[in-house]
Amino acid sequence: MNAAALFGSLRRSRDGDPALLSDTRTADPRLADPRLGSPMPWVIAIVIALTVIAAASGLALRNAAARASADLNGGVTVQIVTAAPADRNHQADAAVAMLEKTPGVIDARHVAQSELDTLLEPWLGTRPGDTIDDLPIPALIDLRLAGPATPARVAALRARIAGVAPSARVDAQAAWLTPVFRAIATLQWLAGGLIALLALATIAAVVLSARNALVNHRETIEIVHMLGGTDAQIARVFQHTAAMDAGIGGVIGLITGTVAIVILGRQFSALGSGMVGGAALGWVDWLVIVLIPLGGVALAVLTARLTVLSALRRML
Amino acid sequence: MSKPDAEIVQFDNVGLRYGTGKEVLTDISFTLYPGRFYFLTGASGAGKTSLLKLLYLAQRPSRGLIRMFGTDAITLPRERLPGFRRRLGVVFQDFRLVQHLSAFDNVALPLRVAGVSEREIAKPVDEMLDWVGLADRRHARPATLSGGEQQRVAIARAVIARPDMLVADEPTGNVDPEMALKLLQLFESLNRLGTTVVVATHDVHLIRKVPESLIMRLDKGRLSDPTGALRYPPRRPSGEAGRPPLGFAPA
């Protein structure tokens, strides 16, 4: 063949990139060695598993708080605290009758004695001969308001009820649980803080790994630069590696974390407590959890890109 | 393409020192024109490789002016370097092959960098490997190739994308005379297609094979000009100059 013919079929082209360092035999565009041999996917897997657990806990706590506060929001408890049973029932009936006519009240229910006995049973017992009836237990009225029981509304109710039932104590149900809600909010912040720290750990791991790869492949990078490769083309190779690492690690982490939260969920629901029962995860929550590894991949790719580009800028 | 005789490279009083050492290149002034064939000669340590590094934009000079493809190459912003480098083909003295890629993929690298589709890559790369006698070694990694074979891969990589300027540092140092001739033919074909060729060598026989070539000679970091073609402003090589003098006469 004529040497000139060698160049005949080839047009000159000045830009583009795609599979820069791909090896046509193995279709392996990575600079580095097989990934599971490197610690990166495992570091990412641990971080993603912890993130999944923290996120699931945060979401479950939020659900529990939301459920409880929805239950309690319009709830007001009226206790008629007087020792004489007849007077107590009389005042309670009068209060219920008045409350049923009060605007904004959806439901006013005099809690039956049998129900009160059931509520007290775990504490006082039902041994034959025990006569709970003899104990001066307050009469209870369970009140549902349209809308939240604000302190002003509770105060207004208190004033009205005082007219017909002077021994009444009126309390918004939510008020009982305020410290619990506050603790839940703190735990949610804690979960958020943990997720932020785990994101920082991911960034640190990717930066270290990318810098390490840059040092190991400096020679190749210089060659690609000399052949007219752009920083973006070189960065893409590293981004690909980071995406693979984070993808593999993310899947492992997601599976591990999900197994952990399912086990935790089973154990908590076995407790049978009303508050914990409201902590189940909805499908939106599961969607958020499944998206965590994708977030991890995006974070790893972005970190690798910025790390590599800033390092390349120092080369000629 | 550049206009005929519009200079492709122009050096003006260029000096280069590494760190705080003494200057390895001093007062280098010359002009290269498109489509010409240049040899750069000089003893070992005269500064040939340093001069080539400036030519292929791997090094910025300590002083002086360099214009390439009509643009000031010294103040060239980093983002524009890749575009310039894609117009260059470089045969490095130490080959600089990517060790984890096969011969085929090393040769294909400039095309891939330039965004040529995979469909269009296989044929020219295979033909080029065939030309340099490595058709049966296309899957071999550089580490398994001999020095001469690596050099041929490096040359194939340098010419595959039909650069505007080819810069080759001792490109025939590791091959037998027959292959050297064949590689030279490759450079000449490229040259006839309009590529400016700059070959650093101290192989006198090689230089004799290209009678129309122009010669730059480096001596202790300074440029002498045996063919009188490189002065700034340049003097045209005369038609009847015939074979260029190879006397390595003192400047």
Side-chain angles (χ1 to χ4, degrees), chain B residues 98-109:
Chain B
V98 180
Q99 294 299 319
H100 73 276
L101 295 182
S102 67
F104 180 93
D105 288 318
N106 266 288
V107 176
L109 201 48

Side-chain angles (χ1 to χ4, degrees), chain A residues 188-235:
Chain A
Q188 280 181 281
W189 278 108
L190 185 66
L194 280 176
I195 290 169
L197 285 176
L198 290 166
L200 287 177
T202 306
I203 291 172
V206 173
V207 166
L208 283 176
S209 156
R211 283 196 188 149
N212 195 28
L214 275 166
V215 171
N216 288 342
H217 300 288
R218 196 185 169 86
E219 170 81 10
T220 304
I221 292 164
E222 280 178 3
I223 294 168
V224 174
H225 263 158
M226 281 300 133
L227 298 178
T230 61
D231 290 355
Q233 287 178 318
I234 294 167

Side-chain angles (χ1 to χ4, degrees), chain A residues 119-208:
Chain A
L119 282 172
L120 291 172
E121 190 190 297
W123 284 273
L124 301 179
T126 52
R127 276 188 302 164
D130 283 351
T131 45
I132 318 179
D133 294 350
D134 295 346
L135 290 170
I137 298 158
L140 282 186
I141 300 167
D142 186 17
L143 202 58
R144 296 273 120 199
L145 301 183
T150 59
R153 292 180 78 187
V154 173
L157 276 174
R158 195 174 284 138
R160 283 181 70 109
I161 293 171
V164 291
S167 314
R169 281 188 203 159
V170 183
D171 293 294
Q173 288 171 2
W176 296 103
L177 283 176
T178 304
V180 177
F181 286 144
R182 220 173 274 152
I184 287 179
T186 310
L187 286 172
Q188 280 181 281
W189 278 108
L190 185 66
L194 280 176
I195 290 169
L197 285 176
L198 290 166
L200 287 177
T202 306
I203 291 172
V206 173
V207 166
L208 283 176

Side-chain angles (χ1 to χ4, degrees), chain A residues 1-26 28 30-31 217-220 222-231 233 312-316, chain B residues 56-60 78 81-82 85-87 92 96-98 100-101 104-105 109-116 118 120 123-124 127-128 131 139 141 157 159-164 185-186 189-190 193 195:
Chain A
M1 182 169 40
N2 184 327
L6 279 175
F7 302 108
S9 58
L10 205 63
R11 62 182 167 77
R12 291 182 195 226
S13 78
R14 299 283 179 233
D15 48 66
D17 113 282
L20 194 54
L21 291 169
S22 76
D23 177 324
T24 47
R25 266 193 321 158
T26 58
D28 178 6
R30 293 169 303 201
L31 281 169
H217 300 288
R218 196 185 169 86
E219 170 81 10
T220 304
E222 280 178 3
I223 294 168
V224 174
H225 263 158
M226 281 300 133
L227 298 178
T230 61
D231 290 355
Q233 287 178 318
L312 292 179
R313 239 168 260 133
R314 289 190 286 271
M315 295 169 77
L316 182 65
Chain B
Y56 59 71
L57 300 170
Q59 188 77 48
R60 303 228 195 231
R78 236 189 132 264
L81 275 174
R85 286 174 173 154
R86 285 177 195 182
R87 302 178 69 176
F92 301 95
R96 311 198 73 176
L97 302 176
V98 180
H100 73 276
L101 295 182
F104 180 93
D105 288 318
L109 201 48
L111 300 177
R112 293 198 169 121
V113 163
V116 177
E118 289 300 313
E120 291 174 82
K123 190 168 167 274
E127 285 175 0
M128 190 60 71
W131 182 264
H139 293 313
R141 305 272 164 130
R157 184 181 68 184
V159 301
I160 188 77
R162 274 186 63 184
D164 289 334
Q185 276 179 299
L186 193 65
S189 318
L190 196 61
L193 289 167
T195 295

